[in-house]
Amino acid sequence: RLRDCSLSEISCDSLASALRLRYCSLSETSCDSLASALRSNPSRLRELDLSQNQLQDSELKLLTHYFCFIHNRLPGSFLSTSHWEVVASAMTSNPSHLRELSLSENQSLTDAAVKLLSSAMMHPNCRLETLRLSHCSLSEISCDSLASALRSNPSHLRVLDLSENQLQDPGVKLLCGFLQDPLCKLETLSLAEISCDPLASALRSNPSHLRELDLSENQLQDPGLKLLCGFLQDPLCKLETLRYAISCDSLASALRSNPSHLRVLELSQNQLKDPGVNLLCGALQDPLCKLETLRSVRDDPVLSQV
């Protein structure tokens, strides 16, 4: 536990640009002291991490009133339903400065809470660039609210992390509507346990912006896998980092068609077999291949020769 007096000793001169107070059991007195320090120098802090604290409404209000909406990050903290109104209100009060919102591992992120946050994200001055909602048990209703917010303001978000959510096809299709928007500039996307069809279709319709795709928590099967590899073969595809679990055949074909952009290939969740590895190695031997990092589940003797 962080002592209350420790926070009262923070001065405007000592305040860092990043402040991480995870697992600190912050009290109302601590939050009041911290808010006072931040109020004395509101322009310096750029990252605040209060995750893994059981904050009460009164404690959260003390903090968000002063800075959750003017600095770059507000991670989640096992927030209760009543907290979300405070957070959404703060985001709406001054929406142009928040750049990263990390609310991962909040099982209290109900449909009503997502709707509140989505409404804040729809503000025309919202400039959110990174949104992390991994392990939040998002429902189809939540996906609908989130997709509406992203479609209404599609040009700023660069990172979307929805890993460790068991998204159903209807929810994935709603989110993919955002990916198809020509104004969408998303660069990093993480999804778990989905079918490939709606995602592959969305990526093919807008292939040039995505730089990192993490599907490592998926056991991808044909024909969805072939659809996804169709995106990789698109000459406009500029994907640099790919993480997923597949057989190698379709991937090898896609890499041979468009070998020059991929820099990181993560296959650590795969039990690679020699025939597939041989096909993959053929793509890696292409003189146009610019791959810099390759990770597999084991040190494959065939891969080691490439």
Side-chain angles (χ1 to χ4, degrees):
R1 180 184 176 89
L2 189 69
R3 293 180 298 113
D4 294 339
C5 61
S6 302
L7 287 171
S8 65
E9 293 166 358
I10 295 177
S11 67
C12 60
D13 293 330
S14 65
L15 194 60
S17 61
L19 184 60
R20 299 179 180 94
L21 299 173
R22 304 181 68 194
Y23 293 103
C24 287
S25 301
L26 296 178
S27 68
E28 184 170 350
T29 302
S30 296
C31 291
D32 191 20
S33 299
L34 178 59
S36 177
L38 294 168
R39 188 170 64 251
S40 68
N41 191 357
S43 62
R44 187 168 183 177
L45 192 69
R46 289 295 177 267
E47 179 181 334
L48 177 71
D49 188 347
L50 300 177
S51 54
Q52 315 304 324
N53 285 285
Q54 298 281 355
L55 298 182
Q56 303 301 314
D57 285 356
S58 57
E59 296 161 359
L60 186 66
K61 285 179 181 179
L62 281 169
L63 297 174
T64 54
H65 178 70
Y66 295 119
F67 59 81
C68 98
F69 50 88
I70 61 175
H71 297 298
N72 290 346
R73 191 178 182 192
L74 177 65
S77 317
F78 295 117
L79 303 182
S80 66
T81 302
S82 58
H83 284 89
W84 298 113
E85 292 185 2
V86 179
V87 175
S89 176
M91 289 173 62
T92 305
S93 299
N94 194 353
S96 63
H97 295 287
L98 191 68
R99 294 294 185 268
E100 178 173 339
L101 182 61
S102 177
L103 298 171
S104 297
E105 299 184 24
N106 271 293
Q107 297 301 312
S108 64
L109 196 60
T110 61
D111 293 339
V114 174
K115 187 174 182 179
L116 284 168
L117 295 173
S118 297
S119 296
M121 290 169 56
M122 293 172 73
H123 194 288
N125 291 330
C126 178
R127 297 295 183 270
L128 194 67
E129 296 175 357
T130 298
L131 178 61
R132 302 189 188 280
L133 297 173
S134 68
H135 205 275
C136 288
S137 302
L138 297 179
S139 69
E140 182 180 341
I141 295 174
S142 291
C143 288
D144 190 13
S145 298
L146 181 59
S148 295
L150 296 176
R151 285 196 307 270
S152 71
N153 197 0
S155 62
H156 297 290
L157 198 68
R158 296 295 185 269
V159 178
L160 179 59
D161 182 0
L162 300 178
S163 58
E164 298 186 69
N165 286 286
Q166 294 186 348
L167 303 180
Q168 303 301 314
D169 284 353
V172 174
K173 287 180 180 178
L174 289 167
L175 292 169
C176 285
F178 156 66
L179 297 176
Q180 290 174 312
D181 192 306
L183 295 178
C184 173
K185 300 296 189 294
L186 195 72
E187 297 176 356
T188 300
L189 176 63
S190 300
L191 293 170
E193 299 185 34
I194 63 166
S195 63
C196 284
D197 302 42
L199 175 62
S201 177
L203 293 178
R204 284 201 313 272
S205 69
N206 190 10
S208 63
H209 297 291
L210 202 66
R211 294 296 184 269
E212 179 173 341
L213 179 60
D214 186 350
L215 300 175
S216 57
E217 297 173 22
N218 296 269
Q219 294 295 326
L220 305 182
Q221 306 293 330
D222 291 336
L225 177 57
K226 290 182 178 179
L227 290 171
L228 183 61
C229 287
F231 154 66
L232 297 175
Q233 291 173 313
D234 192 305
L236 295 178
C237 174
K238 301 295 187 294
L239 196 71
E240 297 176 356
T241 299
L242 177 62
R243 297 182 177 92
Y244 67 166
I246 57 163
S247 63
C248 292
D249 305 34
S250 298
L251 176 60
S253 177
L255 291 178
R256 286 196 303 270
S257 299
N258 192 7
S260 63
H261 296 290
L262 201 66
R263 296 293 186 271
V264 178
L265 179 59
E266 170 72 73
L267 300 174
S268 59
Q269 301 300 316
N270 294 271
Q271 294 291 335
L272 301 180
K273 305 297 184 182
D274 284 347
V277 172
N278 287 329
L279 287 170
L280 182 58
C281 288
L284 298 179
Q285 289 172 325
D286 191 308
L288 295 178
C289 177
K290 299 295 188 294
L291 194 71
E292 298 173 356
T293 301
L294 173 63
R295 297 187 184 95
S296 65
V297 74
R298 59 189 173 95
D299 294 327
D300 193 285
V302 180
L303 283 176
S304 65
Q305 299 173 14
V306 180

